[in-house]
Amino acid sequence: MMKKNTGILIALIMAACLLGCGADETKTTTVSLDKKGKIINTIYEDFGEEYYDISELTRMAEDEIALFNSERLSEKITLGSVDKISDGTMVKMVLNFETTDDYEDFNNTTLYYGTVQDAMDRGYEISSELIDENGLKVSLEAVENNKNNHIIITKDKSVFITPYNIVYTTNGVSLKGKKEAVLSSSTNDEIQLILSK
């Protein structure tokens, strides 16, 4: 497990996960999954330079990632980039995760990606309150018919970009196109997205 003195970077990531998206649509924290479950996590957060600079933040991120990887004896996370956005104190950080398990462990949150059947086999309960794109409640029979489809189960309130079309969601999730879901609009603690495959 990560040591408790890793506060600043974890605080940055957790704040981004909890806030999900900011006022500017182009500066939205996203969790983008590919078909194999690898993740690109693009985080935007406001940081005042009076506390630290971009090089210090980069060093902290590198140290935390190195610690995480060393405890797992392999490279589970890589730092894509850390950049200051030109219009102020906003910082953009890109992290690459090998698996959803690595994302879960690093961010101390829930994130499952796999088939509906596999989720059920692992003890996850598929919500009986899922809705389709028109806001209509999905029948349990429809869920049964989609056991080979993929599902995302998470407590992370970021914007999720999925590898397949989103067909059913937890109530309150806003869809932006077929593969992008804004989870911050849902009041549920745990959110589920059933995908087309």
Side-chain angles (χ1 to χ4, degrees), residues 8 51-61:
I8 296 176
Y51 298 109
Y52 44 82
D53 61 22
I54 196 74
S55 59
E56 183 180 351
L57 181 60
T58 302
R59 281 193 305 275
M60 286 190 304

Side-chain angles (χ1 to χ4, degrees), residues 59-188:
R59 281 193 305 275
M60 286 190 304
E62 290 169 343
D63 290 346
E64 296 312 316
I65 290 167
L67 174 62
F68 184 91
N69 289 336
S70 69
E71 290 173 348
R72 284 144 188 87
L73 305 177
S74 64
E75 193 171 67
K76 299 291 188 178
I77 307 172
T78 57
L79 180 63
S81 62
V82 180
D83 300 299
K84 181 178 175 186
I85 306 301
S86 60
D87 61 353
T89 59
M90 185 74 68
V91 171
K92 174 185 176 184
M93 181 183 295
V94 179
L95 300 174
N96 303 296
F97 294 83
E98 280 299 302
T99 69
T100 53
D101 289 342
D102 300 323
Y103 185 91
E104 272 190 321
D105 291 348
F106 190 73
N107 292 297
N108 193 28
T109 190
T110 298
L111 179 56
Y112 170 81
Y113 168 75
T115 66
V116 172
Q117 182 64 62
D118 186 53
M120 294 168 66
D121 291 345
R122 292 177 183 227
Y124 288 103
E125 185 175 330
I126 307 305
S127 173
S128 60
E129 302 293 321
L130 296 173
I131 59 172
D132 65 16
E133 63 182 336
N134 298 314
L136 300 175
K137 188 175 173 182
V138 177
S139 69
L140 290 176
E141 182 182 0
V143 173
E144 285 288 320
N145 292 335
N146 285 280
K147 284 188 174 178
N148 292 326
N149 286 26
H150 283 82
I151 187 170
I152 294 170
I153 301 172
T154 187
K155 292 185 177 181
D156 186 325
K157 295 288 184 92
S158 297
V159 173
F160 274 71
I161 300 171
T162 66
Y164 303 107
N165 292 345
I166 302 165
V167 291
Y168 306 130
T169 71
T170 298
N171 193 26
V173 170
S174 300
L175 296 181
K176 294 172 63 179
K178 295 184 181 294
K179 297 181 180 180
E180 187 171 347
V182 180
L183 276 56
S184 60
S185 54
S186 175
T187 58
N188 292 61

Side-chain angles (χ1 to χ4, degrees), residues 20-69:
C21 56
D24 187 338
E25 292 287 320
T26 63
K27 298 185 179 100
T28 301
T29 293
T30 59
V31 177
S32 179
L33 289 91
D34 73 9
K35 291 180 180 181
K36 294 183 179 179
K38 291 187 176 186
I39 293 173
I40 298 173
N41 185 204
T42 304
I43 302 163
Y44 289 92
E45 187 60 50
D46 194 23
F47 271 85
E49 279 190 59
E50 63 270 19
Y51 298 109
Y52 44 82
D53 61 22
I54 196 74
S55 59
E56 183 180 351
L57 181 60
T58 302
R59 281 193 305 275
M60 286 190 304
E62 290 169 343
D63 290 346
E64 296 312 316
I65 290 167
L67 174 62
F68 184 91
N69 289 336

